[in-house]
Amino acid sequence: MRETISKAGWGRGGGSVAILLVLTSAIYVRPSMLSGSSYLNGSDYNQLHARRIAFAQSALFGARHALPGWYPHEFMGSPFAANLQSFPWIPTRLMVLPLDPDVAFGAGVALAAALAALFTYLFCRGAGLSQIGAMAAGWTFACAGYFTSRVLAGHLPLLEAYPALPLLLWLAGRALSPDRAYRQTRDLAALAVASARVALAGHPQIPAYALATALLYAIARGRGRQRLRVVAAMVLGLGTTLLAWWPTLLLIRRSTRLLHLAPPDNDIVLPYSRLLALLVPGVNGWVSRINLSTQHPFTGYPNDAYFWDTIGYVGVLPLLVILLLLIASVAKKRVPAWPWSFLAAVGVGALVLALPATGFLRSMTPGTFFRSPSRLLYLSTFSASVALGFGVSAFLKSKAFTLRVRQALVACCLLLHGADLGGFGRHFIQTSPRPAKRSAPYEQTLAREVKDGRICVDFWFLRGYGDRYDDAGVFDSLLLANPYRVILRLLGQPPDLNTEDMDASDLTLPALRAAGVRFVVTAAEREDLALVDSSNHEADLYRVPNPAPRASFFAGEAVNFMPREKIVDVFATQFDLNRLLLPVEARGQVAPIRSGAPDRVPAQVIYARPSSDEITLDAVTDQAGFVYLVEAWDPGWSAAVDGKSAPVVLANGFAMAIPTAPGRHSIRLSYHTPGRLLGGILSLVSGCLLAGLIWSARRTPRLQRG
C-alpha cells in the first residue's frame, strides 16, 4: 500500500489540490467579504470570540507584548491566559490575529476549511486512493454539515480544530511507513509538532477525539519499536503543551465543571429520532437563524441546541456508497483492507457512543469534561467522507462499463453531490454589511458616570462597547465556581442550574448591586431599576441604586466570620452590603479593634488599575480591618501592603479582602497564572525527551530510496 506521494505524482496532483481548494473556498468566501464591505456571520463569535481576539490584540501588539493572565471585562474578572478557550495557541488563530476582528472570522473559517480538505486529500492519497477519490473525500469533509452549521453558530475554536483528524492520520501513516525509514526523524518530529499544535486548539473536544483516534491508528498499524516511537512522539508532543494545559487543568478544577450541576442545555446526547436528520437534514425543521424556518420551524425538542449539535449531514451520495460497500463486503464475506476497516469501525463506534444507549459509560466520569456526546459525529463525518473517496476510486478501477462511461458516471454523481451538500451548506453561510464605526448607545453617559464601576449589557449589544467597560455578565463554558455559586443564589435559581450565559436581562437587583454595576443596557423592561434614557429604539439605559463600591474598607466589627460552606447562603439570604463575610480561618488576620470605633470607614479607599493583571489601592483607615475589592477571588492573586506580602482572603464567597492595620496604606494586587511555572518545567522535560527520541531514531538503518 502506498503511503507517500512521489515527486512526479505530487507534480501531477498540484493541479488537483488547487482545484480542491478553490471548490472548498467557493462555499465559504463571498466577493463582498474579499472587498471588505461585509463580514461573515457567526453568533457565538460576535458575542464572545471577537471580544477576546480584540483583547489579545491590544495586549500582544501593545506596549507590554504579553498575553494577560486575567480578563477583567466580564463576570467580575476571570482567568484569561489559563483558559485555552479564551485564546488558543493553534497556528491558525495566530495567523488571523493581526486582522480586524470583523474580518478574522471569515479568514479563520476559510483557512480551517481549506486545511481540512487538504489534509484529507493527503491522507487519502497516501493510503492509495485516486486523485479524484481523494478530492471527493477532502471536499466532502470540509463542506459537511458538521462544519458548515457551526459557521453560522460562530464556533470558531471548534472550526479551527476541525482539520486535526486527517492531519494526524496522514502524519502517523508517514511515520509508520517502512518505505520512509530514511525520513524517520523528520516524520516523528512533524507528528509530534502536529500533536502539540492540535492540543493547543481552543476546543478540547475535537482535538481529544482526533488524538485518541490517531493513537489507536498507530497502535493498530505499527509494529514493534516503530510503533513505540510513533506513540511516544505523540505523547511527548502533547507533553510540550503543558505550559498552557497545566494551568487550564488547574482552572477546570476550580470551575463549574466540577460542581454538581444539572446537565446544561447544550449537553446533547444524539436522540434516536435525530438519526433520520443524517439523511434528511430538515426532517425536524430549521432554527430561526435559517431562512427555511419560516416554512418549517424546528420543533419536537427542548431547545435549538438539539439542532446545532446533531447536524451531521454529509450528502446522500456518501451514504449510498457506504450502503453499496456494505453489501459488497457481505456478499464477498470479507472486510475491507487496512485502513478502511479501521475507519469504518471508528465511524460506526463514534455514532454508537453518541447515542443514549451508552449513557452508562458517561455516568462513570465525575464532573463535566466533554459536553454533548453528539459531537462524536465528527469522527463519523470523516469516516463517511473517506468512504465516498474509497467508493469513487474502487468504481474507477473496476471492470464495470468502459472507462469513459465510469468517468462520466462519477462526474455526474459528484456534480449532484456538490449541488446537494453545497446547497445545504449555503444556508449556514450568511454575511452582513460591515457597519460604520460609531459610538455605542449612551456612550457619553457611561463615559461620564461609570468611572471605576461596572456596567451590564445584553449580549446582543455588548460588542458595541468593546472592552471600554467591565461587564458583570458572562458568556463562557468555563466559569469560576465561586462567583457562579453566588450569582446563582442572588438570582434565586436552583443551585444545580447549569448555564453558560448571564447578561443584563438575567441579573436581579441584588446581583447587580453585589457586582458593583452602576448602569444596565437592556432591551428587557426593568421595573426594579431607574430608567435613565430610552432614546435608543433597541435598548434602554437603567441606573442601579446603591451598588457596592469597587473597593471599600470594613472595620473589624463589621466583619462576620463563619464556616466557609455557609457564607454563600448567608450572603444571599441576608444580603447586607454593609457587612463582610469571611471564613473562620481569616479571624486571626485582623488586628485588635479599638472600642467605640465606627463599623465602617467609607470613601477612604482609592481604586486604580494600571493593567488587567494589576490593581492598586490607596487606603486610609483609623482602625484595623479589611479592604474589600469587588473582583473575583482566584489563587493567582497576590497582595502587598506597603511593600510587604499580605494574604488575599475569599470574601462574601466570591470577592477579595486584604487585612490592614490602622493608618495610610498602599496596596498592590498582581495576578500570576497558577501552574505556569510547573507547566513550563513539564513542557521543557517533555521537549528534551522528545529530542532524545528523535535523535535515537537517526540510528535506524536507512533503506535505499526505491
Side-chain angles (χ1 to χ4, degrees):
M1 182 178 296
R2 191 159 49 89
E3 293 285 356
T4 61
I5 302 175
S6 66
K7 291 183 178 180
W10 174 253
R12 292 192 300 269
S16 300
V17 170
I19 294 172
L20 173 62
L21 297 182
V22 169
L23 292 175
T24 302
S25 299
I27 299 296
Y28 299 103
V29 179
R30 302 288 183 270
S32 59
M33 294 167 56
L34 297 176
S35 66
S37 60
S38 71
Y39 65 90
L40 189 64
N41 281 336
S43 178
D44 282 11
Y45 178 82
N46 292 332
Q47 300 177 37
L48 174 63
H49 304 299
R51 294 183 69 205
R52 284 166 166 74
I53 288 177
F55 182 72
Q57 285 176 335
S58 62
L60 293 174
F61 302 145
R64 301 195 176 202
H65 301 294
L67 193 69
W70 189 256
Y71 186 54
H73 302 306
E74 67 177 16
F75 206 49
M76 293 167 286
S78 60
F80 189 79
N83 188 351
L84 273 176
Q85 297 183 109
S86 292
F87 185 77
W89 288 98
I90 193 170
T92 51
R93 175 65 63 90
L94 301 179
M95 292 175 67
V96 303
L97 188 61
L99 303 177
D100 184 285
D102 285 341
V103 178
F105 182 53
V109 167
L111 181 59
L115 291 176
L118 175 62
F119 293 145
T120 303
Y121 173 89
L122 292 174
F123 169 74
C124 291
R125 289 290 286 146
L129 295 190
S130 64
Q131 287 185 4
I132 188 66
M135 290 174 64
W139 186 88
T140 300
F141 184 61
C143 301
Y146 194 99
F147 188 96
T148 55
S149 65
R150 285 166 171 81
V151 174
L152 185 58
H155 298 165
L156 179 60
L158 184 149
L159 298 174
E160 290 172 323
Y162 191 78
L165 181 57
L167 169 64
L168 294 176
L169 291 178
W170 172 53
L171 293 177
R174 289 162 64 90
L176 290 166
S177 174
D179 296 335
R180 295 182 59 87
Y182 63 95
R183 292 184 174 178
Q184 181 78 178
T185 56
R186 187 183 310 176
D187 290 339
L188 288 175
L191 181 59
V193 170
S195 299
R197 295 303 94 187
V198 164
L200 291 177
H203 193 282
Q205 206 160 346
I206 296 302
Y209 296 156
L211 287 162
T213 303
L215 282 170
L216 289 175
Y217 180 87
I219 292 171
R221 179 76 175 89
R223 295 292 182 272
R225 183 176 299 178
Q226 182 189 43
R227 171 168 54 190
L228 291 176
R229 281 177 175 166
V230 170
V231 172
M234 294 185 65
V235 172
L236 292 175
L238 295 176
T240 62
T241 68
L242 288 171
L243 174 64
W245 258 108
W246 185 249
T248 299
L249 293 173
L250 294 180
L251 173 59
I252 291 173
R253 290 183 59 186
R254 57 186 190 272
S255 76
T256 55
R257 292 298 180 96
L258 293 188
L259 294 179
H260 297 290
L261 303 178
D265 289 342
N266 64 347
D267 191 1
I268 308 299
V269 178
L270 180 62
Y272 295 112
S273 55
R274 282 294 286 172
L275 288 174
L276 186 58
L278 302 180
L279 179 63
V280 185
V283 64
N284 302 115
W286 306 86
V287 293
S288 59
R289 298 291 305 278
I290 301 171
N291 295 331
L292 295 174
S293 64
T294 56
Q295 292 82 29
H296 192 186
F298 184 68
T299 58
Y301 296 91
N303 55 64
D304 288 351
Y306 279 82
F307 176 86
W308 296 111
D309 263 15
T310 58
I311 293 181
Y313 187 65
V314 294
V316 174
L317 184 60
L319 300 180
L320 180 61
V321 168
I322 291 173
L323 178 61
L324 294 175
L325 291 174
L326 178 61
I327 292 173
S329 296
V330 172
K332 295 179 180 180
K333 297 180 180 180
R334 185 176 60 189
V335 298
W338 180 271
W340 319 119
S341 57
F342 173 82
L343 292 177
V346 167
V348 173
L351 182 60
V352 171
L353 289 173
L355 295 171
T358 56
F360 70 95
L361 296 175
R362 293 183 289 273
S363 64
M364 298 178 182
T365 304
T368 303
F369 293 95
F370 290 151
R371 289 178 176 173
S372 200
S374 58
R375 293 174 187 169
L376 282 163
L377 287 175
Y378 170 67
L379 301 178
S380 302
T381 296
F382 181 75
S383 179
S385 302
V386 173
L388 172 61
F390 177 82
V392 168
S393 298
F395 181 72
L396 289 174
K397 292 179 181 179
S398 70
K399 302 299 182 181
F401 312 108
T402 64
L403 177 60
R404 289 186 178 275
V405 172
R406 295 198 301 270
Q407 290 174 338
L409 288 173
V410 166
C412 289
C413 289
L414 291 181
L415 284 174
L416 291 173
H417 174 58
D420 174 27
L421 189 57
F424 168 79
R426 285 180 176 271
H427 294 302
F428 301 93
I429 311 301
Q430 302 177 8
T431 60
S432 294
R434 293 185 67 183
K437 300 296 183 182
R438 59 183 181 179
S439 298
Y442 319 119
E443 180 74 29
Q444 293 182 351
T445 302
L446 297 177
R448 183 177 62 252
E449 299 190 39
V450 170
K451 299 179 181 178
D452 61 358
R454 289 189 174 90
I455 65 172
C456 204
V457 181
D458 282 350
F459 290 137
W460 296 111
F461 314 116
L462 184 59
R463 192 172 176 186
Y465 294 93
D467 284 331
R468 292 186 296 278
Y469 307 97
D470 292 348
D471 188 273
V474 67
F475 176 33
D476 202 349
S477 61
L478 193 60
L479 303 176
L480 287 175
N482 286 325
Y484 183 87
R485 292 171 62 237
V486 170
I487 294 297
L488 212 61
R489 288 288 284 111
L490 292 175
L491 294 180
Q493 296 287 353
D496 65 343
L497 177 68
N498 198 337
T499 182
E500 297 181 350
D501 56 273
M502 298 177 183
D503 66 5
S505 60
D506 296 328
L507 299 188
T508 60
L509 177 57
L512 294 170
R513 293 182 60 204
V517 175
R518 298 186 179 181
F519 288 95
V520 170
V521 180
T522 179
E525 184 177 356
R526 296 295 303 257
E527 296 181 354
D528 55 339
L529 304 178
L531 179 63
V532 177
D533 193 337
S534 59
S535 59
N536 184 272
H537 69 280
E538 293 181 331
D540 296 329
L541 179 67
Y542 294 90
R543 188 188 304 275
V544 179
N546 302 317
R550 192 64 172 265
S552 54
F553 175 75
F554 285 84
E557 292 180 349
V559 179
N560 289 350
F561 298 94
M562 61 184 60
R564 185 182 296 263
E565 62 273 11
K566 294 184 178 180
I567 291 179
V568 173
D569 288 336
V570 173
F571 179 74
T573 54
Q574 298 184 2
F575 193 68
D576 183 1
L577 293 181
N578 293 318
R579 307 293 297 179
L580 187 64
L581 307 181
L582 300 180
V584 174
E585 55 267 27
R587 188 189 300 273
Q589 296 170 344
V590 62
I593 305 166
R594 299 177 186 174
S595 59
D599 287 348
R600 188 178 181 190
V601 181
Q604 294 192 12
V605 180
I606 301 175
Y607 170 94
R609 189 150 208 158
S611 71
S612 60
D613 292 350
E614 184 180 4
I615 299 172
T616 60
L617 305 170
D618 290 327
V620 179
T621 69
D622 63 353
Q623 298 188 65
F626 289 83
V627 170
Y628 176 62
L629 180 64
V630 184
E631 188 88 9
W633 179 92
D634 191 80
W637 284 107
S638 60
V641 178
D642 301 327
K644 297 181 179 180
S645 178
V648 180
V649 181
L650 177 64
N652 288 340
F654 72 100
M656 295 188 284
I658 301 95
T660 56
R664 182 183 298 272
H665 302 287
S666 176
I667 303 173
R668 180 179 181 272
L669 291 100
S670 56
Y671 186 82
H672 301 280
T673 301
R676 180 56 55 88
L677 177 60
L678 179 57
I681 294 173
L682 295 174
S683 291
L684 181 61
V685 171
S686 297
C688 292
L689 293 175
L690 177 61
L693 173 69
I694 294 173
W695 177 263
S696 68
R698 298 184 61 187
R699 303 178 61 184
T700 301
R702 298 189 176 188
L703 301 180
Q704 295 295 325
R705 298 174 186 259

